Amino acid sequence: MSKRIWLAGLAVYIMAVAARTSFGVASLDALSRFDISATELSLFTVIQLGVYAGCQIPLGVLLDRFGSRPIIVGGAIILALGQGWLAFAGTYGSALVARVLIGLGDATAYTSVIRLIPQWFPAQKVPLYTQLTSILGQLGQVVSSLPFAMALAHFGWESAFVGLGVAGGIVGLTAAVFIREKETFVRNAEKGGASAFTHPGVWQGFWAHFALGFSSHVFLLLWGVPFMTVNGIDQAVASAVLIVFSISGIIAGPLVARLTSRHPLRREWSVVGIMLVLAGSWAYILTRDRPVEIWEFSVLLFVIALAGSGSTMGFDYARTSVPLSKLGSANGLVNQGAFTGALLVSYVIGVILDARSPDGDYTAMDFRVALSAQFVIILIGLIGFLALGPASNRRYEQHLGMTIEPARVAIERIVRERRADFPRFNELLRLEKGVAGPSSTVPPTRPTDSDGKPARDGASTSYRAATTDQREDPANGSVEDPATDPERNSLPEAGGQSSSEQVDGFPAE
């Protein structure tokens, strides 16, 4: 049932992405249809992203109050109306109003699906399904690039947009049949507790999303293809290279999800590391004194996809900072990060390009200087993320009821434990060969079956269990079944024993 609910929400998100990207496919038709300039054309994208970002917090509040189901259905209907309006818009102003509706409908899909996941999946699987939602949602680009593009070419503007709107509306209404909320969550939503807008962990997630998520929007929606074109790459080839981003997301997403679920107490390492890799990749591209080659752009697109996957760790910060009853508001604030960064840097890039080349004849050097504005966004995000780290960790420790070991202490302890194991294994090896060792202490031996092989009986005591103290980790959700208590998916209870809890899969001292 949980997968069916998630798939129903995912289908709506796919159609929302298709609506978001369909105008890019029809951009050349829009130039002639509305008799507008390239600058006026860019306003369609800026307005859509602006509405998307501005709606995140209000929609998050509505999600916490009414749940995902009515928001998803309502958003799908608004998307369908926006596509229909755009289909028959006869003026530039009317078409802009249509893009406002499309931006509003698009804004409802992702956060609604993300809010459903912690209710229906164990905490260990939440990062994976969050990544899968982001990855599979990009199938909407396939919908707009293939069937929509074919309909646009064969049947014209009106039929193509009406068809896409009707398809999205049908998917939304179908999802309403399958999507369910957990009654305990909806009826017993907390009125008190930490505010999503003041918790340092939520804001840390915002800055992670801000610094890591903006680059994909800047490159894919606006400046990527022109930048590759001024480097001597054919426009058709440059457009085809963008598929590397989609393929890379399929690879990077599960890797980031595994890091997040395996080491939830060391998420900062992953976030900061990906920020530095993103900045380093752009620095390499923008400092070339020669035209950038296709393989170099392909590597850059892989890093941008990795950063996009890393930005979803911001939602993991939100999940572990507030109760599920406030998760919609927290997710809305986090999701606002990347789109705010994309709007800021896209505008600054345009201003720099116009200042360097007012006649519009841009060179590769003009783009290098303009795209350098991205470093400012990454730096702001990095400073904000690190500045909130101590306060966020203190609040997280309070809810866990344990003290998180500093990384240096944890590494030293693990190395010490590993070194301590070597003499025991050497002694065991001597015993198996029938050679008495010099040690007077005989380590516990592993139980064997009738064939002399190590026993596999679940009741048997393993060698590792006999020599070390293994305990479960509440941060990984293994103390209780999260499916039976939805609040534990987002906010661990206090009162744990800090002296014996597990950190990153290893028992604390």
Side-chain angles (χ1 to χ4, degrees):
M1 180 179 181
S2 58
K3 291 184 178 179
R4 184 176 61 189
I5 292 172
W6 171 69
L7 288 172
L10 176 64
V12 176
Y13 178 52
I14 290 174
M15 295 308 299
V17 174
R20 180 195 311 167
T21 58
S22 61
F23 192 83
V25 176
S27 58
L28 295 179
D29 298 76
L31 286 173
S32 57
R33 180 179 179 85
F34 301 112
D35 191 21
I36 55 178
S37 66
T39 302
E40 291 172 322
L41 180 67
S42 67
L43 285 179
F44 283 105
T45 298
V46 172
I47 286 177
Q48 193 271 332
L49 290 178
V51 172
Y52 187 106
C55 288
Q56 289 306 301
I57 292 179
L59 283 171
V61 175
L62 292 176
L63 278 170
D64 289 334
R65 183 170 184 178
F66 300 107
S68 295
R69 186 183 182 191
I71 302 300
I72 287 178
V73 176
I77 293 174
I78 293 174
L79 267 177
L81 292 175
Q83 296 289 77
W85 190 318
L86 185 61
F88 299 105
T91 63
Y92 176 64
S94 180
L96 289 178
V97 174
R99 289 300 286 179
V100 171
L101 291 176
I102 293 172
L104 178 59
D106 182 20
T108 65
Y110 184 70
T111 51
S112 298
V113 180
I114 293 300
R115 179 189 167 278
L116 283 172
I117 293 174
Q119 296 183 59
W120 295 103
F121 292 96
Q124 302 96 319
K125 294 185 178 181
V126 170
L128 174 61
Y129 279 92
T130 301
Q131 291 289 347
L132 288 176
T133 301
S134 300
I135 295 169
L136 297 178
Q138 301 311 308
L139 291 174
Q141 293 182 345
V142 178
V143 173
S144 62
S145 298
L146 295 178
F148 174 79
M150 293 174 61
L152 184 67
H154 289 84
F155 303 108
W157 178 282
E158 292 85 358
S159 298
F161 277 102
V162 168
L164 187 60
V166 170
I170 292 174
V171 170
L173 294 175
T174 303
V177 178
F178 295 100
I179 292 177
R180 294 287 184 272
E181 303 276 355
K182 284 207 169 183
E183 293 184 1
T184 55
F185 170 72
V186 176
R187 294 178 181 177
N188 301 322
E190 287 189 0
K191 301 300 182 182
S195 171
F197 305 122
T198 59
H199 197 291
V202 178
W203 279 101
Q204 199 175 18
F206 169 88
W207 289 116
H209 202 258
F210 177 89
L212 294 176
F214 80 93
S215 195
S216 60
H217 299 297
V218 171
F219 197 89
L220 297 177
L221 296 182
L222 288 176
W223 304 116
V225 172
F227 182 40
M228 287 190 281
T229 302
V230 298
N231 277 274
I233 300 174
D234 182 76
Q235 183 174 353
V237 176
S239 300
V241 170
L242 296 181
I243 198 173
V244 173
F245 175 83
S246 301
I247 298 174
S248 300
I250 297 174
I251 300 172
L255 292 177
V256 173
R258 181 167 179 81
L259 276 175
T260 307
S261 59
R262 175 64 177 168
H263 303 289
L265 306 184
R266 309 297 174 194
R267 295 173 295 189
E268 290 87 350
W269 290 20
S270 300
V271 172
V272 174
I274 296 175
M275 286 185 189
L276 296 178
V277 170
L278 178 63
S281 300
W282 273 113
Y284 173 85
I285 293 294
L286 298 179
T287 55
R288 298 300 90 194
D289 56 357
R290 55 169 175 77
V292 183
E293 299 181 13
I294 291 180
W295 71 267
E296 292 171 314
F297 278 117
S298 299
V299 174
L300 176 65
L301 282 168
F302 175 82
V303 174
I304 292 175
L306 176 64
S309 298
S311 70
T312 61
M313 283 191 282
F315 298 105
D316 200 63
Y317 277 94
R319 178 180 63 86
T320 56
S321 297
V322 298
L324 279 175
S325 56
K326 301 180 183 296
L327 189 56
S329 301
N331 283 341
L333 177 60
V334 171
N335 200 34
Q336 197 177 40
F339 292 92
T340 302
L343 282 173
L344 291 174
V345 75
S346 296
Y347 176 76
V348 171
I349 290 172
V351 170
I352 295 175
L353 285 174
D354 288 340
R356 289 184 60 90
S357 183
D359 59 355
D361 187 16
Y362 308 122
T363 65
M365 181 55 68
D366 294 333
F367 269 94
R368 291 191 183 101
V369 174
L371 289 170
S372 297
Q374 295 178 100
F375 295 115
V376 178
I377 299 296
I378 296 174
L379 180 60
I380 292 174
L382 178 61
I383 293 174
F385 180 80
L386 294 177
L388 290 169
S392 176
N393 288 335
R394 284 195 298 270
R395 295 284 290 272
Y396 193 33
E397 287 177 338
Q398 291 174 5
H399 292 303
L400 287 175
M402 60 179 286
T403 300
I404 302 175
E405 286 184 315
R408 178 184 57 81
V409 176
I411 293 173
E412 289 177 353
R413 173 177 50 78
I414 294 169
V415 171
R416 187 168 60 251
E417 290 176 353
R418 293 297 183 263
R419 287 177 177 174
D421 281 343
F422 285 124
R424 298 191 184 107
F425 282 114
N426 291 335
E427 187 70 24
L428 181 61
L429 218 61
R430 295 189 186 96
L431 291 174
E432 289 179 352
K433 294 180 178 180
V435 179
S439 174
S440 59
T441 303
V442 179
T445 59
R446 302 179 67 176
T448 58
D449 55 21
S450 58
D451 297 329
K453 298 180 179 180
R456 296 184 180 273
D457 186 357
S460 301
T461 303
S462 67
Y463 177 79
R464 178 65 178 168
T467 55
T468 59
D469 184 17
Q470 296 286 341
R471 292 180 174 87
E472 293 185 346
D473 183 1
N476 286 332
S478 57
V479 176
E480 292 183 8
D481 181 9
T484 62
D485 185 1
E487 289 294 329
R488 290 192 63 84
N489 279 298
S490 64
L491 192 62
E493 294 181 359
Q497 299 177 359
S498 60
S499 61
S500 62
E501 297 293 357
Q502 200 182 42
V503 179
D504 284 339
F506 297 101
E509 294 179 344

